[in-house]
Amino acid sequence: MRATMREAGRATVHLLVAAAMAFGMYLFITVLLITAVGTLAVVGCWLLPETVILLRRIAGAKRRLTAARTGREIPEAYRTIDGPLTERLRTAVRDPGTLTDLRWMLAYYVYGALVLLALPLWPVGLVVDGVGCGLLRRRAVMLPWIVRLADLEARWSTALLRPSPQALLAARVEQLTATRADAIAAHGAELRRIERDLHDGAQARLVSLSLRIGLAKRAYDRDPDAARKLLDGAQEQAEEALAELRDVVRGIHPPILTDRGLTGAVRALAAGSGLRVSVDVDGLEDDGAAFPRAPAAVEAAGYFVVAEALTNAAKHSGSPTAAVRLVRTRRGLRVAVADEGRGGVDESGGSGLLGVRRRVAALDGTVRVSSPVGGPTVIEVELPCVW
């Protein structure tokens, strides 16, 4: 009986919040009327996109309320309302999400008051179910109807607020457009970095090497000792240029990834990071186990995520330890890096996380950063791939 009452109580709270939101929607009619009059009068047409944005926020709050009840998130699929007024008006009117929200709002004026059916069930349920469960040892009959009403309200909200296929497609196209632009920007930045590294590093050393060899050739006949010193310096320059070139190659695609796979490459990163790093691997190649490898692009992205996260941890966290976890999931690869440092990561402060987000977004992956002040900092990346 107690469990039934708790369930009924939670259901009643959900219905009360839904009813309060429905009451707010009745007040929202005034905003709709003002917007309609202003739009028809032309002078107030700027109200239309603002009203649509407000409606989106209300629908978003209802999605979160429903998700808290059902345990399943309801996706949002809206076109971004920005730009000049004409563009904002066109987007607000043509966005399929606007029609979805209006349809839900009209229906919500009716079913948002289901709490009026639930409240009378409480006194009846306490008497009937109290006698039935307490004396006759039977199952509750009346109070479960309150739970059914809350579930019914959640199902209707889920069905009405779920974006249409057209809206999902439009949102997907907009997302891919943004990630494509980020990928192009990241690619351009990477090319500029490689060009700068070659120009300032290997190229300068090779020019110096050429000059030293030329001086050694001129001094060879009249001063062999000086020529030998110049050649020794030229050899050092050649070795330094080779080291610079190896660093550039590692920045493009570390050879260790090809030779040892992601697990071996991450373990090498951990060993050279300057921190005490634990590496936990689940479902990937390790210790001779026969697991399929992820695609090269996914491995490279995972490697650079770990490299950037460990670099940030060593520079900024103040923590002597870090933990890396690589997990093969059904749909891809999960990479998580955690440290127990001071936290408070600022993604706009040159921490390198913007580059991580761009690299991951280019593969249609996701990045989640949790870094409260005082720590811990956890960076978790999901990279989709087919095994």
Side-chain angles (χ1 to χ4, degrees):
M1 181 64 181
R2 290 180 180 178
T4 302
M5 291 182 64
R6 283 195 298 268
E7 287 292 327
R10 285 192 288 264
T12 303
V13 170
H14 173 81
L15 291 173
L16 285 172
V17 175
M21 185 174 289
F23 179 75
M25 295 300 295
Y26 285 113
L27 299 179
F28 189 68
I29 294 177
T30 305
V31 178
L32 293 177
L33 291 175
I34 294 174
T35 301
V37 172
T39 303
L40 291 175
V42 180
V43 294
C45 60
W46 59 272
L47 286 170
L48 180 58
E50 301 302 324
T51 302
V52 171
I53 292 175
L54 180 58
L55 178 59
R56 289 181 178 184
R57 292 174 180 171
I58 296 173
K62 181 58 183 174
R63 286 186 177 94
R64 291 188 292 272
L65 176 64
T66 304
R69 177 66 188 175
T70 62
R72 296 185 299 273
E73 292 188 3
I74 305 174
E76 291 186 355
Y78 295 122
R79 296 177 184 173
T80 304
I81 299 179
D82 56 11
L85 179 58
T86 54
E87 183 65 25
R88 290 164 61 86
L89 286 170
R90 187 180 301 111
T91 303
V93 172
R94 295 183 178 180
D95 185 5
T98 303
L99 179 60
T100 299
D101 289 348
L102 287 173
R103 184 181 59 198
W104 162 77
M105 182 182 65
L106 293 175
Y108 199 53
Y109 287 143
V110 178
Y111 79 89
L114 282 175
V115 70
L116 298 178
L117 299 177
L119 292 178
L121 292 176
W122 269 103
V124 178
L126 290 176
V127 174
V128 174
D129 293 337
V131 173
C133 296
L135 298 179
L136 304 178
R137 304 296 181 181
R138 294 181 179 177
R139 297 178 60 182
V141 176
M142 301 302 298
L143 291 180
W145 277 101
I146 301 176
V147 179
R148 295 188 185 101
L149 286 174
D151 292 340
L152 179 63
E153 193 276 340
R155 284 197 301 272
W156 283 349
S157 296
T158 300
L160 290 168
L161 288 171
R162 184 182 295 116
S164 65
Q166 294 83 358
L168 290 173
L169 179 60
R172 181 62 173 162
V173 169
E174 186 173 339
Q175 178 190 11
L176 291 177
T177 301
T179 55
R180 178 178 178 271
D182 286 343
I184 292 174
H187 179 67
E190 187 72 6
L191 287 178
R192 289 190 295 272
R193 182 191 66 80
I194 294 171
E195 181 182 8
R196 183 176 62 253
D197 290 346
L198 289 175
H199 182 272
D200 298 341
Q203 179 177 326
R205 295 189 186 279
L206 289 174
V207 170
S208 177
L209 171 63
S210 177
L211 291 174
R212 283 179 179 271
I213 292 175
L215 292 173
K217 289 173 64 177
R218 293 181 182 182
Y220 183 76
D221 292 331
R222 52 186 172 81
D223 192 350
D225 292 336
R228 187 176 295 107
K229 292 181 180 179
L230 288 171
L231 289 174
D232 289 340
Q235 184 178 8
E236 293 177 0
Q237 289 281 344
E239 293 173 353
E240 291 174 356
L242 286 174
E244 292 276 355
L245 289 174
R246 278 193 288 267
D247 289 339
V248 172
V249 170
R250 291 191 188 100
I252 300 172
H253 185 84
I256 193 172
L257 271 178
T258 304
D259 298 336
R260 298 174 56 186
L262 179 61
T263 301
V266 167
R267 292 192 185 281
L269 272 177
S273 69
L275 303 173
R276 296 194 303 274
V277 182
S278 62
V279 180
D280 184 21
V281 180
D282 184 7
L284 296 173
E285 72 287 350
D286 193 18
D287 298 330
F291 287 105
R293 290 181 57 172
V298 173
E299 285 193 339
Y303 176 86
F304 284 112
V305 167
V306 175
E308 186 63 44
L310 291 181
T311 300
N312 287 342
K315 287 183 178 180
H316 308 297
S317 73
S319 172
T321 62
V324 179
R325 180 167 172 78
L326 307 174
V327 181
R328 175 192 174 191
T329 65
R330 187 169 60 89
R331 297 183 177 180
L333 172 69
R334 181 184 302 123
V335 180
V337 184
D339 67 72
E340 298 293 333
R342 59 178 62 95
V345 170
D346 181 10
E347 297 193 35
S348 62
S351 63
L353 287 178
L354 178 60
V356 168
R357 288 190 181 279
R358 284 178 170 176
R359 184 183 290 272
V360 172
L363 298 176
D364 206 18
T366 59
V367 180
R368 290 185 293 274
V369 179
S370 174
S371 183
V373 176
T377 297
V378 180
I379 301 174
E380 189 173 21
V381 172
E382 294 277 354
L383 295 166
C385 69
V386 178
W387 299 96

